[in-house]
Amino acid sequence: MTDQTALIPNPVAQAADRTNARKVFIKTYGCQMNVYDSVRMGDALASEGYVTTDTAEDADLVLLNTCHIREKAADKVYSALGRLRDMKKERNAEGRELMIGVTGCVAQAEGEEILRRSSAVDVVIGPQTYHRLPQALKRARQGERVVDTDYAVEDKFEHLPVPDKKVIRSRGVTSFLTVQEGCDKFCTFCVVPYTRGSEVSRPLAQILDEANKLVDAGVREITLLGQNVNAWHGTGLDGSSWGLGDLLYRLAEIPGLARLRYTTSHPRDMDDRLIEAHRDLRALMPYLHLPVQAGSDRVLKAMNRRHTAEEYVRLIERIRAARPDIALSGDFIVGFPGETDAEFEDTLKLVETVRYAQSFSFKYSTRPGTPGAELGSQVAEEVKAERLERLQALLLKQQLEFAESCVGKVIDILLEKPGRMPEQLIGRSPWLQSVNVDAKSSQIGDIISVRIVGTGPNSLFAERIER
Ligand code: SAM
Ligand code: SF4
């Protein structure tokens, strides 16, 4: 799972025009799973009469839905809380309310500590208990400072209200759908198994029900989410054991659902059925985010990734044989404790071999409580910075080459939202690139054929063609 929120519009900012309603502003940090959770928190609060707004200034309740994956991500939360504390003081001086909540992975990891560090915070709610937000807010309004970070025995998804069609459609023609949460892989650098708990798959019937409701409301593309999404498993319609591949075959049968994606996967869980799904399903987009993290086998072992560089490269070859037009995306960490110059070079070599269309790369960040934090031989900050610069230069070159290779191609794009110019829309290519094209807003949700005519820094330009 990757920080991709820049690609995603504020998911919960729908017009807050019910004048007397309480307003909530939800600030989302981190990965797509947090984006999805923010939407569902908005749903939970809507049933209590809240409407969403897209500024803290306008809100009666501010929720920071946080990320703990790297130190910087967690630090951002405390700076935001400093600003909110001042805002709350000003509000209270005017006799008005401002409630503040911290949700997500920092809430789970730090719990009570957040109340100690920030006097302005009223509620702290973990990722597994946000369906209880309305009750927590009631208690907070009675003067209690609430921390609810237990792993709930009840299934939060069973308790979250489903919004009506109009609300779903107002969020756009693409949607996330969480199918799996938590992780049992315990990579030695990663906090996810501690903040999100152990691996849990949502039952098939629940997923199909949610997918059908989304499509019924006009959603054309669904991205299945999970910290380890391809570890999803469940009991199939025929009573047998199903994996993510089987789930995708079933979802592809939903009339009106044009496109499917899934993220984030672990190389160890890319089984044959999932690769066959890439071969067989036109609805399954030819794009795969498959993090490798590093190219040295010693580092991969120290990271507890449970695969070698060679195994990863062979896996990519099998996937490409099944779906030749597939584009690859990856996550990389530089400067894991003990990583030598030569081991870093192995990462560059792996990138040269695989060729990525998209990527997310990070300096190793020590996370308290993870085995990586206990290792000696931490790599110096300036060495990490220099390695990251070199890796990112290579990855950017590959990304631009991939974009250039699209020029002249005729492809289908899903029209998603208005562009910057009048009569211009932004569509999404099969490979997740933004594509600017002249089209009318009434066409949002249509899939049209275009010819790619140019590339920009973060998007492609296209002209329409009639097929
Ligand atoms: N489950 C996914 C996987 O197996 O790769 C990734 C989940 S994680 C939320 C997203 C990415 O953050 C990881 O792939 C990794 O590259 C990065 N990341 C996680 N922990 C990190 C750390 N301590 N320092 C730097 N980057 C980290
Ligand atoms: Fe973190 Fe590894 Fe699990 Fe991904 S597979 S969430 S990197 S522990």
Side-chain angles (χ1 to χ4, degrees):
M1 195 71 24
T2 349
D3 295 346
Q4 294 184 338
T5 39
L7 299 174
I8 302 156
N10 183 347
V12 286
Q14 305 131 31
D17 54 9
R18 280 161 49 196
T19 35
N20 290 325
R22 284 201 175 114
K23 293 178 188 170
V24 55
F25 169 63
I26 308 180
K27 167 84 184 153
T28 309
Y29 299 85
C31 67
Q32 297 96 326
M33 295 204 66
N34 270 8
V35 174
Y36 176 85
D37 288 344
S38 291
V39 171
R40 302 303 304 261
M41 282 179 215
D43 293 343
L45 292 168
S47 65
E48 298 295 306
Y50 277 92
V51 292
T52 50
T53 176
D54 54 11
T55 63
E57 288 71 21
D58 192 35
D60 307 290
L61 166 65
V62 174
L63 294 178
L64 303 182
N65 191 16
T66 60
C67 172
H68 201 242
I69 200 80
R70 283 168 293 277
E71 196 178 359
K72 255 194 202 153
D75 288 348
K76 277 188 199 162
V77 176
Y78 284 107
S79 356
L81 284 175
R83 292 191 295 276
L84 286 171
R85 186 195 52 215
D86 297 342
M87 192 186 286
K88 187 170 185 162
K89 270 192 201 145
E90 284 165 29
R91 286 282 183 93
N92 292 351
E94 294 164 9
R96 289 164 57 213
E97 176 186 274
L98 176 62
M99 298 194 77
I100 297 172
V102 179
T103 63
C105 292
V106 175
Q108 188 65 41
E110 307 214 346
E112 297 268 350
E113 177 64 15
I114 297 174
L115 298 188
R116 269 192 291 277
R117 280 182 66 173
S118 177
S119 57
V121 175
D122 301 290
V123 295
V124 176
I125 305 271
Q128 301 310 333
T129 41
Y130 63 75
H131 57 295
R132 298 185 194 148
L133 252 172
Q135 295 93 305
L137 290 169
K138 266 183 209 136
R139 284 161 61 195
R141 218 163 262 119
Q142 286 156 6
E144 197 184 336
R145 298 182 80 203
V146 182
V147 177
D148 186 355
T149 53
D150 293 344
Y151 288 107
V153 278
E154 73 275 12
D155 175 358
K156 71 170 177 260
F157 294 109
E158 295 279 1
H159 289 77
L160 287 165
V162 178
D164 65 26
K165 276 190 193 185
K166 233 173 92 191
V167 173
I168 295 176
R169 183 62 188 81
S170 72
R171 292 172 179 160
V173 294
T174 62
S175 180
F176 291 135
L177 198 176
T178 291
V179 300
Q180 180 280 330
E181 289 195 288
C183 183
D184 293 339
K185 295 279 190 295
F186 289 94
C187 299
T188 55
F189 52 80
C190 185
V191 289
V192 168
Y194 312 96
T195 55
R196 289 277 179 164
S198 56
E199 229 168 75
V200 179
S201 294
R202 285 180 74 187
L204 175 68
Q206 221 184 57
I207 296 168
L208 292 179
D209 186 46
E210 192 168 328
N212 278 311
K213 285 192 173 112
L214 291 171
V215 175
D216 205 30
V219 166
R220 306 295 319 279
E221 173 180 305
I222 293 180
T223 301
L224 306 181
L225 297 182
Q227 268 91 21
N228 216 176
V229 70
N230 57 346
W232 181 87
H233 59 277
T235 306
L237 297 172
D238 54 1
S240 68
S241 173
W242 276 19
L244 188 71
D246 302 294
L247 175 62
L248 286 162
Y249 278 96
R250 176 62 189 83
L251 287 168
E253 288 172 10
I254 298 178
L257 179 54
R259 291 180 159 197
L260 283 163
R261 303 178 187 275
Y262 62 95
T263 197
T264 291
S265 298
H266 191 287
R268 278 293 289 256
D269 294 320
M270 285 302 299
D271 62 17
D272 291 347
R273 184 72 170 149
L274 188 49
I275 297 175
E276 281 164 18
H278 278 286
R279 181 194 64 200
D280 296 342
L281 301 176
R282 289 305 98 185
L284 182 55
M285 290 294 99
Y287 181 90
L288 176 63
H289 182 65
L290 194 62
V292 64
Q293 314 296 355
S296 140
D297 287 345
R298 193 204 64 79
V299 174
L300 286 169
K301 192 152 191 283
M303 286 177 163
N304 193 30
R305 287 294 290 179
R306 307 168 197 215
H307 58 79
T308 63
E310 173 78 11
E311 282 163 353
Y312 179 85
V313 170
R314 294 280 99 66
L315 175 61
I316 299 292
E317 282 170 2
R318 284 173 53 219
I319 296 165
R320 282 190 167 135
R323 185 76 205 239
D325 63 343
I326 202 159
L328 265 296
S329 158
D331 288 349
F332 303 88
I333 295 178
V334 301
F336 185 77
E339 185 190 66
T340 63
D341 285 342
E343 287 167 344
F344 169 65
E345 295 292 333
D346 289 339
T347 300
L348 296 178
K349 273 184 223 146
L350 181 134
V351 171
E352 295 276 14
T353 308
V354 173
R355 288 173 288 110
Y356 290 90
Q358 180 63 266
S359 61
F360 304 87
S361 45
F362 316 97
K363 288 191 274 188
Y364 171 72
S365 167
T366 308
R367 306 314 290 126
T370 61
E374 307 301 315
L375 297 172
S377 60
Q378 297 285 329
V379 174
E381 233 3 79
E382 57 277 17
V383 175
K384 286 190 216 172
E386 189 259 338
R387 286 181 190 168
L388 188 65
E389 206 179 303
R390 284 183 62 200
L391 175 63
Q392 288 188 336
L394 175 61
L395 289 165
L396 180 64
K397 182 170 153 277
Q398 294 190 346
Q399 184 184 332
L400 297 176
E401 281 167 1
F402 179 73
E404 283 297 332
S405 76
C406 296
V407 175
K409 276 190 186 153
V410 172
I411 63 169
D412 284 348
I413 62 169
L414 169 61
L415 296 173
E416 279 186 16
K417 57 184 177 192
R420 275 207 216 120
M421 307 293 174
E423 304 274 299
Q424 192 193 57
L425 295 184
I426 298 178
R428 190 71 67 184
S429 83
W431 308 292
L432 213 55
Q433 300 137 304
S434 292
V435 182
N436 301 287
V437 66
D438 290 343
K440 294 195 171 48
S441 57
S442 59
Q443 290 177 283
I444 289 178
D446 289 355
I447 293 178
I448 62 164
S449 289
V450 297
R451 177 175 287 107
I452 303 300
V453 292
T455 63
N458 293 308
S459 60
L460 302 175
F461 296 93
E463 61 186 23
R464 299 195 55 168
I465 58 158
E466 304 303 329
R467 264 194 171 166

